[in-house]
Amino acid sequence: MTNLNNRYEYVKAFEQPDVLLPNTWIVVRIDGRGFHKLTDRYNFKKPNDRRALDLMNAAAVEVMKDLPDLCIAYGVSDEYSFVFHPSCQLFERRSAKLVTTIVSTFTAHYVYLWGTYFPDSPLEPPYLPSFDGRAVMYPATRNLRDYMSWRQVDCHINNLYNTTFWTMVQQGGMSNTDAEQELKGTVSSDKNEILFKRFGINYNNEEEIYKKGSVLYRQYQLEDIKPKSEPNPGVLAEEEGNYVQEAKTSRSQQDKLRKLRRKAQVVVDHVDIIKDEFWERRPWILSGKPGKLPTEA
Amino acid sequence: MTNLNNRYEYVKAFEQPDVLLPNTWIVVRIDGRGFHKLTDRYNFKKPNDRRALDLMNAAAVEVMKDLPDLCIAYGVSDEYSFVFHPSCQLFERRSAKLVTTIVSTFTAHYVYLWGTYFPDSPLEPPYLPSFDGRAVMYPATRNLRDYMSWRQVDCHINNLYNTTFWTMVQQGGMSNTDAEQELKGTVSSDKNEILFKRFGINYNNEEEIYKKGSVLYRQYQLEDIKPKSEPNPGVLAEEEGNYVQEAKTSRSQQDKLRKLRRKAQVVVDHVDIIKDEFWERRPWILSGKPGKLPTEA
Amino acid sequence: MTNLNNRYEYVKAFEQPDVLLPNTWIVVRIDGRGFHKLTDRYNFKKPNDRRALDLMNAAAVEVMKDLPDLCIAYGVSDEYSFVFHPSCQLFERRSAKLVTTIVSTFTAHYVYLWGTYFPDSPLEPPYLPSFDGRAVMYPATRNLRDYMSWRQVDCHINNLYNTTFWTMVQQGGMSNTDAEQELKGTVSSDKNEILFKRFGINYNNEEEIYKKGSVLYRQYQLEDIKPKSEPNPGVLAEEEGNYVQEAKTSRSQQDKLRKLRRKAQVVVDHVDIIKDEFWERRPWILSGKPGKLPTEA
Amino acid sequence: MTNLNNRYEYVKAFEQPDVLLPNTWIVVRIDGRGFHKLTDRYNFKKPNDRRALDLMNAAAVEVMKDLPDLCIAYGVSDEYSFVFHPSCQLFERRSAKLVTTIVSTFTAHYVYLWGTYFPDSPLEPPYLPSFDGRAVMYPATRNLRDYMSWRQVDCHINNLYNTTFWTMVQQGGMSNTDAEQELKGTVSSDKNEILFKRFGINYNNEEEIYKKGSVLYRQYQLEDIKPKSEPNPGVLAEEEGNYVQEAKTSRSQQDKLRKLRRKAQVVVDHVDIIKDEFWERRPWILSGKPGKLPTEA
């Protein structure tokens, strides 16, 4: 029988490698599949359903805990972006393995926790939530920062639109079509004005989770912001780009880092990640090196 | 604010295409992540836990129903292979999209149905089941058939080993190490003999689901097997390889096929898929064209 | 110093594999870079320069001789397509290696032979001819045949257009713009009529090399065409798709085949490769197995 | 006939994209194919043939002139590495196109110039020189610098070995096997000693082109080295990683840069590229921005 197996085993040669380029940031973004239909069936509240967002965040926290190699995650609506550091060697950086592990772990917790967040709307198969995902590489830290900014700007744009649209419909009694029509071509200030003048709503007072989305990271002691020195383009940052070598020489070092990261608490924040401040006070996110654990008073 | 978004939107350029080669079979194989630990924690029975296999099959059936483009699936232990036809155009054949959709849908149903199959062992986070997956292309039908045979031969080899090993341990009172030691280097006939002579077990009488694994497909009227004519290697099969063109000219045709496939029942079978008979009596699996629905008496 | 080298050697980890899928046809197509400028500088004749085509063919013959794994090649204008069989294991099927080897070998012979075909127009650097190239995989023989047909149909369409255009300009005294304008929207029969009625040219009498392009293959004894039997879609062709396995078990077998192929003469033909006849009389091209060497009378 | 073409045109769908990740350094390395045989046939001198190296460099200079997007090249023995800047958008960064263009252009000039450097050893087909090549991406400047260092360290190691080996054979009258045997396991200092004590050769006095290889770049005014400021890892270099955006907004800007680069002279240097000095005095190489053209006295 072993012979038989050998006879067929050649099919393994068709598997093609999908290792991601070393020393690049890896962003795994997952998106809800057909969530429009899902939000209808389970009566999600418009424009934002707090239970749904809390459920997304709870599932994402579990993913962060399960995979200490993740250094930050950002969620908005039914999407979530998980970020691996350039030094990450998890699963030898195989793309499909990284993406499916995150998608599956997220889905498992999302389904498992559903009843906690939607006690009155039990899941009804075949209408179960599911997610697709993909991995994208970003070579420079600037590119990663810009990716994160892109998602948060997108969050803002969509939330301002949705808040205005659903206020016009729900409080203003307009039809969906009319509201859509009126909003066509408007800019941010127009929408702010509609909200304020017609409905007395100051958009700035909306909840931060809706306006900023959710940022997940491991909590260490915040650092003070140092005055910036002049950057010298001719000088190479010492630490940059030697991850490959390090990874090879000290796998045990990687395990140590993982253990340290597991000790840190994963926090859910709703803050600006476009400006430098967030990143400068939490240097461990971009450096990939754990900070000091917060001391108890 | 739109300007801001545009400023960051360039990061989309880092997304790289992952479209699979047209006119190839696509096999998406998923595997349980760390199921060793899971089977311990939830006390799966050895060598086979019928509830666990039934749960795998139930989740796989839901995946088949959700994705009518799938033409066959094969499951054994904590792995499942899902097969798309060379003519498949689902998600423009994007690899990550196909794989993550299957992994996530499977996981969702597996977690959701857990309580039905393991009523006495509720899931305990963070120990939730999850799966990873990957897509592999097979150019020729012969390659696909050999892939399926490979998995079924593997099922046989592992099950014979596990059945013998656990019988030696559970009924023979041997330690794991001793049993492992004795089985080292044995061939099939040796294991059959151990089972029969020492424990009076005829391996052939073991349940088919354990010996053959599980085959899922859509049920149509079985066809008679025609006598084989001499193949003429010089003649090209008419239908072969024109899927790309067809796909482009008739997307509505694809939707029709999907509807037809949804009408067929997905069955779970435990039969030989190595020999020709299985395939010749069910030509719709390899042809990608729905057969005749079974008529009621 | 060895230490120094080790310190930098990690950069090899950035090399990514580019192995082409097993059991697929590989077409390497090369195209002249900026040949418009080149044809002007060296005064190529319009619409076809026989010397230039002969030079292309001579260089392609050398590529075929250098790489016995190639089973056929097709050239038209400044492009050439070289075809590797699905069973080909050359350079472990690494894409860049296959493509650059062909491009470089072709370029070397093209430059070396230039003086033979253009004795009166020596090359003047930096205006040297160069070619780019790429590899494409075709899973089914039908796809490969259709690729070859596509190129030959393209040859016909372009040659009919160019022949008509340049006859109108050169013999009819029209300006380029006027000729282009008149040909806009015309079909084949229109162009045939212009040639025949205005200039007494019967397109069918044009040289075959211009109308059909050039087909290169190894010459064995032609085979008779057998009457076609009914194809039975249920039956798998025996030989199909086992190349991977074969390749692994018998590398020496591959070397034998290479030697046999080196013995055959590479011929340049200008014939129809769209219809079945060409392929049925030369079964060795698609089978990948050398035929019988022609016997001398 | 157009219909016929359409019928086959579907085969274009099999072409798969091969665009390299934006904002990464691209190194195209080419290697002589079977140069061992070639050096025998045309009697290259051992351990180094100055004519052969000069020919390599001459061909590489032509490649640099032909492709102003290249910012540096490094050659040793029968290999050459050509480097594109992370901001490079040439051929939309398609890998095959970039690699084959360089391989073909290099080959064309190498064959064309052969007679100039080897007037007494004309090329004899089919023994023509050819090269294969591949593209590798390096995300960080540190990685690119390390790649260049790796090649130059390799050059040193090989040249010291070859110089010692061939001196032992040519001047010491040893057999190849004996020399090889004695050198096994020796370190640099051993080889230096053999050269000096037995043959009175001071390795340091060997020609720089043999010891350091050849560096090609565009010549601008050298810059003074500034004292290094403390690098601040928290601060992102302003210019880093925005190339994608720039590229999209200003294609004309790219054309301007190309013209500026064409004006600069390509020089062939034999200097240390491992230490910082080379790069700091020629900041245009890593910045991708042309420097000041040297002023004439």
Side-chain angles (χ1 to χ4, degrees):
Chain A
M1 207 64 175
T2 309
N3 286 344
L4 257 183
N5 204 19
N6 283 346
R7 180 176 154 196
Y8 300 126
E9 229 169 348
Y10 80 90
V11 296
K12 280 162 76 174
F14 289 82
E15 297 179 12
Q16 298 192 295
D18 67 340
V19 169
L20 297 170
L21 191 67
N23 198 24
T24 55
W25 293 95
I26 302 171
V27 175
V28 174
R29 179 153 103 225
I30 70 173
D31 284 274
R33 284 185 62 223
F35 259 50
H36 260 301
K37 217 159 71 179
L38 208 82
T39 55
D40 283 355
R41 169 159 285 261
Y42 299 110
N43 300 308
F44 281 29
K45 279 169 201 147
K46 311 283 182 161
N48 292 295
D49 189 306
R50 182 62 193 247
R51 301 164 302 173
L53 293 180
D54 287 345
L55 174 51
M56 288 290 289
N57 290 344
V61 165
E62 294 302 321
V63 171
M64 289 282 284
K65 282 191 199 161
D66 195 43
L67 298 171
D69 289 81
L70 287 169
C71 41
I72 189 168
Y74 177 75
V76 47
S77 181
D78 63 343
E79 79 168 49
Y80 237 101
S81 300
F82 295 92
V83 182
F84 290 107
H85 195 261
S87 64
C88 171
Q89 298 299 322
L90 187 64
F91 306 142
E92 294 99 56
R93 300 175 68 86
R94 279 178 288 145
S95 180
K97 185 98 175 172
L98 290 166
V99 177
T100 55
T101 295
I102 284 183
V103 162
S104 183
T105 305
F106 189 93
T107 305
H109 287 282
Y110 191 96
V111 170
Y112 179 79
L113 291 169
W114 177 275
T116 308
Y117 292 88
F118 289 94
D120 304 325
S121 305
L123 287 173
E124 298 161 0
Y127 302 95
L128 297 192
S130 65
F131 299 83
D132 56 41
R134 64 179 308 170
V136 181
M137 296 177 276
Y138 291 102
T141 301
R142 168 48 62 208
N143 302 140
L144 187 264
R145 284 278 309 272
D146 286 350
Y147 172 84
M148 301 300 274
S149 298
W150 177 48
R151 299 323 303 143
Q152 193 167 52
V153 169
D154 219 38
C155 166
H156 169 81
I157 291 171
N158 290 332
N159 190 58
L160 177 56
Y161 181 94
N162 291 337
T163 302
T164 316
F165 175 88
W166 287 107
T167 304
M168 290 162 81
V169 169
Q170 291 166 351
Q171 300 186 29
M174 289 174 77
S175 73
N176 287 13
T177 329
D178 287 351
E180 199 187 326
Q181 202 54 39
E182 186 175 344
L183 287 174
K184 209 170 258 177
T186 57
V187 296
S188 292
S189 55
D190 300 328
K191 299 191 191 78
N192 274 304
E193 202 177 291
I194 290 175
L195 283 173
F196 193 69
K197 293 222 170 134
R198 292 199 210 162
F199 304 101
I201 293 171
N202 185 339
Y203 182 74
N204 289 331
N205 297 339
E206 293 293 297
E207 288 195 52
E208 291 300 305
I209 187 175
Y210 303 147
K211 289 186 298 179
K212 298 277 201 301
S214 299
V215 193
L216 271 61
Y217 54 89
R218 299 174 210 287
Q219 188 62 292
Y220 300 101
Q221 286 181 37
L222 293 182
E223 304 221 349
D224 294 337
I225 297 179
K226 291 157 199 152
K228 297 187 193 189
S229 68
E230 286 287 301
N232 181 333
V235 183
L236 284 172
E238 277 310 306
E239 85 288 358
E240 170 195 64
N242 260 322
Y243 304 124
V244 182
Q245 196 173 9
E246 280 169 23
K248 299 225 158 151
T249 47
S250 61
R251 189 166 292 249
S252 66
Q253 180 63 14
Q254 289 227 344
D255 290 339
K256 255 185 222 164
L257 286 176
R258 257 179 219 147
K259 270 181 202 161
L260 276 174
R261 285 191 202 112
R262 280 196 198 279
K263 284 190 184 155
Q265 202 198 338
V266 174
V267 295
V268 181
D269 224 341
H270 314 292
V271 293
D272 182 289
I273 55 172
I274 300 176
K275 298 199 202 84
D276 291 337
E277 190 194 336
F278 172 82
W279 306 92
E280 291 180 7
R281 299 210 62 191
R282 297 163 187 84
W284 62 82
I285 296 177
L286 294 180
S287 75
K289 287 168 197 156
K292 285 183 206 159
L293 287 173
T295 47
E296 290 98 50
Chain B
M1 208 61 177
T2 308
N3 284 345
L4 258 183
N5 204 19
N6 283 345
R7 180 178 154 194
Y8 299 126
E9 228 168 348
Y10 80 90
V11 297
K12 281 162 74 173
F14 289 82
E15 297 179 14
Q16 298 192 295
D18 66 342
V19 169
L20 297 170
L21 191 67
N23 198 26
T24 54
W25 293 95
I26 303 171
V27 175
V28 174
R29 179 154 103 224
I30 70 173
D31 284 275
R33 284 184 62 223
F35 258 50
H36 260 301
K37 216 159 73 179
L38 208 82
T39 55
D40 282 354
R41 170 159 284 261
Y42 298 110
N43 300 307
F44 282 29
K45 281 171 201 146
K46 312 283 181 160
N48 292 294
D49 189 308
R50 182 61 193 247
R51 302 164 302 173
L53 292 181
D54 286 345
L55 173 51
M56 288 289 290
N57 290 343
V61 165
E62 294 302 321
V63 171
M64 289 281 284
K65 282 191 199 160
D66 195 44
L67 299 171
D69 290 79
L70 288 168
C71 41
I72 189 167
Y74 177 76
V76 47
S77 181
D78 64 342
E79 79 167 49
Y80 238 100
S81 300
F82 296 91
V83 182
F84 291 106
H85 195 263
S87 63
C88 171
Q89 297 300 321
L90 186 64
F91 305 142
E92 294 100 55
R93 299 173 70 85
R94 279 178 289 144
S95 181
K97 185 99 176 171
L98 290 166
V99 177
T100 54
T101 295
I102 284 183
V103 162
S104 183
T105 306
F106 189 92
T107 305
H109 287 283
Y110 191 96
V111 170
Y112 179 80
L113 291 169
W114 177 274
T116 309
Y117 292 88
F118 289 94
D120 305 325
S121 305
L123 286 173
E124 297 161 1
Y127 302 96
L128 297 192
S130 65
F131 299 82
D132 56 41
R134 63 179 309 170
V136 181
M137 296 177 276
Y138 291 102
T141 301
R142 168 48 62 206
N143 303 139
L144 173 71
R145 285 276 310 272
D146 286 349
Y147 172 84
M148 302 300 274
S149 298
W150 177 49
R151 298 324 302 142
Q152 194 166 51
V153 170
D154 219 39
C155 167
H156 169 81
I157 291 171
N158 290 332
N159 191 58
L160 178 55
Y161 182 93
N162 292 337
T163 303
T164 315
F165 175 87
W166 286 107
T167 303
M168 290 162 81
V169 169
Q170 292 166 351
Q171 300 186 27
M174 289 175 76
S175 73
N176 286 15
T177 329
D178 287 351
E180 199 186 326
Q181 201 55 39
E182 186 175 343
L183 287 174
K184 211 170 256 174
T186 58
V187 296
S188 293
S189 55
D190 300 329
K191 299 190 191 78
N192 274 303
E193 203 177 289
I194 290 174
L195 283 173
F196 193 70
K197 293 223 170 133
R198 293 199 210 164
F199 305 100
I201 293 171
N202 185 341
Y203 181 74
N204 289 330
N205 297 338
E206 294 292 296
E207 288 195 52
E208 291 299 305
I209 187 175
Y210 302 149
K211 289 187 299 180
K212 297 278 200 303
S214 300
V215 193
L216 271 61
Y217 54 89
R218 298 173 210 288
Q219 188 63 291
Y220 301 102
Q221 286 181 37
L222 293 182
E223 303 221 348
D224 294 337
I225 297 178
K226 289 158 200 153
K228 297 186 193 188
S229 68
E230 286 286 301
N232 182 333
V235 183
L236 285 172
E238 277 309 307
E239 83 289 356
E240 170 196 64
N242 260 321
Y243 304 125
V244 182
Q245 197 174 10
E246 279 168 23
K248 298 226 157 151
T249 47
S250 61
R251 188 165 293 250
S252 66
Q253 180 63 14
Q254 289 228 344
D255 289 339
K256 257 186 220 163
L257 286 176
R258 258 179 219 146
K259 270 181 202 162
L260 276 174
R261 286 192 201 113
R262 280 195 199 279
K263 284 189 186 158
Q265 203 199 338
V266 175
V267 295
V268 181
D269 225 341
H270 315 292
V271 294
D272 183 288
I273 55 171
I274 300 175
K275 300 199 201 84
D276 291 338
E277 191 194 335
F278 172 82
W279 306 93
E280 291 180 7
R281 299 209 63 191
R282 297 163 187 83
W284 62 83
I285 296 177
L286 294 180
S287 74
K289 287 168 197 154
K292 283 183 206 157
L293 287 173
T295 48
E296 289 100 51
Chain C
M1 208 62 177
T2 309
N3 286 344
L4 257 183
N5 203 19
N6 284 345
R7 179 176 155 194
Y8 299 125
E9 229 169 348
Y10 80 91
V11 297
K12 280 162 75 174
F14 289 82
E15 297 179 12
Q16 299 193 294
D18 66 341
V19 169
L20 297 169
L21 191 67
N23 198 26
T24 54
W25 293 94
I26 302 171
V27 174
V28 174
R29 179 154 101 227
I30 70 173
D31 284 275
R33 284 184 64 222
F35 258 50
H36 259 302
K37 216 159 73 178
L38 209 81
T39 55
D40 282 355
R41 171 160 285 260
Y42 298 109
N43 300 308
F44 281 29
K45 281 170 202 147
K46 311 284 184 161
N48 293 293
D49 188 307
R50 182 62 194 247
R51 302 164 301 173
L53 292 180
D54 287 345
L55 172 52
M56 287 291 288
N57 290 343
V61 165
E62 294 302 321
V63 171
M64 289 281 284
K65 282 192 199 161
D66 194 43
L67 299 171
D69 290 80
L70 287 168
C71 41
I72 190 170
Y74 178 75
V76 46
S77 180
D78 64 343
E79 79 168 48
Y80 237 99
S81 300
F82 295 91
V83 182
F84 291 106
H85 195 262
S87 64
C88 171
Q89 298 299 322
L90 186 64
F91 306 141
E92 296 100 55
R93 299 173 70 84
R94 279 177 290 147
S95 181
K97 185 97 175 173
L98 290 166
V99 177
T100 54
T101 295
I102 285 182
V103 162
S104 182
T105 306
F106 189 93
T107 305
H109 287 282
Y110 191 96
V111 170
Y112 179 80
L113 292 169
W114 177 274
T116 310
Y117 292 87
F118 289 94
D120 304 325
S121 305
L123 287 173
E124 298 161 0
Y127 302 96
L128 297 192
S130 65
F131 298 82
D132 56 42
R134 62 179 309 171
V136 182
M137 296 177 275
Y138 291 101
T141 302
R142 167 48 63 207
N143 303 139
L144 189 262
R145 284 277 309 273
D146 286 350
Y147 172 83
M148 302 299 274
S149 298
W150 176 48
R151 298 323 303 143
Q152 193 166 52
V153 169
D154 220 40
C155 166
H156 169 82
I157 291 171
N158 290 332
N159 190 58
L160 178 55
Y161 181 94
N162 291 337
T163 304
T164 315
F165 175 89
W166 287 106
T167 305
M168 290 162 79
V169 170
Q170 292 165 350
Q171 300 186 27
M174 288 175 75
S175 73
N176 286 15
T177 329
D178 287 351
E180 198 187 325
Q181 200 54 38
E182 185 175 344
L183 287 174
K184 210 170 256 176
T186 57
V187 294
S188 293
S189 55
D190 300 329
K191 300 190 191 76
N192 274 303
E193 203 176 290
I194 291 174
L195 284 173
F196 193 71
K197 294 222 169 135
R198 293 199 210 163
F199 305 100
I201 293 171
N202 185 339
Y203 182 74
N204 289 330
N205 296 339
E206 294 292 296
E207 287 195 53
E208 291 300 304
I209 188 175
Y210 303 149
K211 288 187 299 180
K212 297 279 200 303
S214 300
V215 193
L216 271 61
Y217 54 89
R218 297 174 211 288
Q219 188 64 290
Y220 300 102
Q221 285 181 36
L222 292 183
E223 303 222 347
D224 294 338
I225 297 179
K226 290 157 198 153
K228 296 187 194 188
S229 68
E230 287 286 302
N232 182 333
V235 183
L236 286 171
E238 278 311 305
E239 84 290 354
E240 171 195 64
N242 261 323
Y243 304 123
V244 182
Q245 198 174 11
E246 279 169 24
K248 298 222 159 156
T249 47
S250 59
R251 189 165 293 249
S252 66
Q253 179 64 12
Q254 291 228 342
D255 289 340
K256 256 186 223 165
L257 286 175
R258 257 178 220 147
K259 270 180 202 161
L260 276 174
R261 286 191 201 113
R262 281 196 197 279
K263 283 189 186 159
Q265 202 198 340
V266 174
V267 294
V268 181
D269 224 341
H270 314 292
V271 294
D272 182 288
I273 55 172
I274 300 175
K275 298 198 202 84
D276 291 338
E277 191 195 335
F278 172 81
W279 306 92
E280 292 180 7
R281 299 209 63 190
R282 297 163 187 84
W284 62 83
I285 296 177
L286 294 180
S287 74
K289 288 166 197 156
K292 284 183 208 158
L293 288 173
T295 47
E296 291 98 49
Chain D
M1 208 62 177
T2 309
N3 285 343
L4 257 183
N5 203 20
N6 284 345
R7 180 176 154 196
Y8 299 125
E9 229 169 348
Y10 80 91
V11 296
K12 281 162 76 173
F14 289 82
E15 296 178 14
Q16 298 193 295
D18 66 341
V19 169
L20 297 170
L21 191 68
N23 198 26
T24 54
W25 293 94
I26 302 171
V27 174
V28 174
R29 180 154 102 226
I30 71 173
D31 283 275
R33 284 184 63 224
F35 259 50
H36 259 302
K37 215 158 74 179
L38 208 81
T39 55
D40 282 355
R41 171 159 284 262
Y42 299 109
N43 300 309
F44 281 31
K45 280 169 201 146
K46 311 284 182 157
N48 292 295
D49 188 308
R50 182 61 193 249
R51 302 163 303 172
L53 293 180
D54 286 345
L55 173 52
M56 287 291 289
N57 290 343
V61 165
E62 294 302 320
V63 171
M64 289 282 284
K65 282 192 199 159
D66 195 43
L67 299 171
D69 290 80
L70 287 168
C71 40
I72 189 169
Y74 177 75
V76 48
S77 180
D78 64 343
E79 78 168 49
Y80 238 100
S81 300
F82 295 92
V83 182
F84 290 107
H85 196 262
S87 64
C88 171
Q89 298 299 322
L90 185 64
F91 306 142
E92 294 99 55
R93 300 174 68 85
R94 280 178 289 146
S95 181
K97 185 99 176 172
L98 289 166
V99 177
T100 54
T101 295
I102 284 182
V103 163
S104 183
T105 306
F106 189 93
T107 305
H109 287 282
Y110 191 96
V111 170
Y112 179 80
L113 293 169
W114 177 274
T116 309
Y117 292 88
F118 288 95
D120 304 325
S121 306
L123 287 173
E124 298 161 0
Y127 304 95
L128 297 191
S130 65
F131 299 83
D132 57 40
R134 62 179 309 170
V136 181
M137 296 177 276
Y138 292 101
T141 301
R142 168 47 63 204
N143 303 139
L144 188 264
R145 284 276 310 273
D146 286 350
Y147 173 83
M148 301 299 274
S149 298
W150 176 48
R151 299 323 303 144
Q152 193 166 53
V153 169
D154 219 39
C155 166
H156 170 82
I157 291 171
N158 291 331
N159 191 58
L160 177 55
Y161 181 93
N162 292 337
T163 303
T164 315
F165 176 88
W166 286 107
T167 304
M168 289 162 81
V169 170
Q170 292 165 351
Q171 300 187 27
M174 290 174 77
S175 73
N176 286 15
T177 329
D178 287 349
E180 200 186 324
Q181 200 54 40
E182 185 175 343
L183 287 174
K184 212 171 254 175
T186 56
V187 296
S188 293
S189 56
D190 299 329
K191 298 190 192 80
N192 274 304
E193 203 177 291
I194 290 175
L195 283 173
F196 193 70
K197 293 221 170 136
R198 292 199 210 163
F199 305 100
I201 294 171
N202 185 340
Y203 181 74
N204 289 331
N205 297 339
E206 293 293 296
E207 287 195 52
E208 291 300 305
I209 186 174
Y210 302 148
K211 289 187 298 180
K212 298 277 201 303
S214 299
V215 194
L216 271 62
Y217 54 89
R218 297 173 210 287
Q219 188 63 291
Y220 301 102
Q221 286 181 35
L222 293 183
E223 304 222 347
D224 294 337
I225 297 179
K226 291 156 200 154
K228 295 187 194 188
S229 68
E230 285 288 300
N232 182 333
V235 184
L236 286 172
E238 277 311 304
E239 84 288 356
E240 170 195 64
N242 261 322
Y243 305 123
V244 182
Q245 196 173 11
E246 279 169 22
K248 298 223 158 153
T249 46
S250 59
R251 189 165 293 249
S252 66
Q253 180 63 14
Q254 289 228 344
D255 288 340
K256 256 184 221 164
L257 286 175
R258 256 178 222 148
K259 269 180 203 162
L260 276 174
R261 287 193 201 110
R262 280 196 198 280
K263 282 188 187 158
Q265 202 199 339
V266 174
V267 294
V268 182
D269 224 341
H270 315 291
V271 294
D272 181 287
I273 56 172
I274 300 176
K275 298 200 203 83
D276 290 339
E277 190 194 336
F278 172 82
W279 307 93
E280 292 180 8
R281 299 208 63 191
R282 297 163 187 84
W284 62 83
I285 296 177
L286 294 180
S287 74
K289 287 167 197 155
K292 284 184 208 157
L293 288 173
T295 47
E296 291 100 49

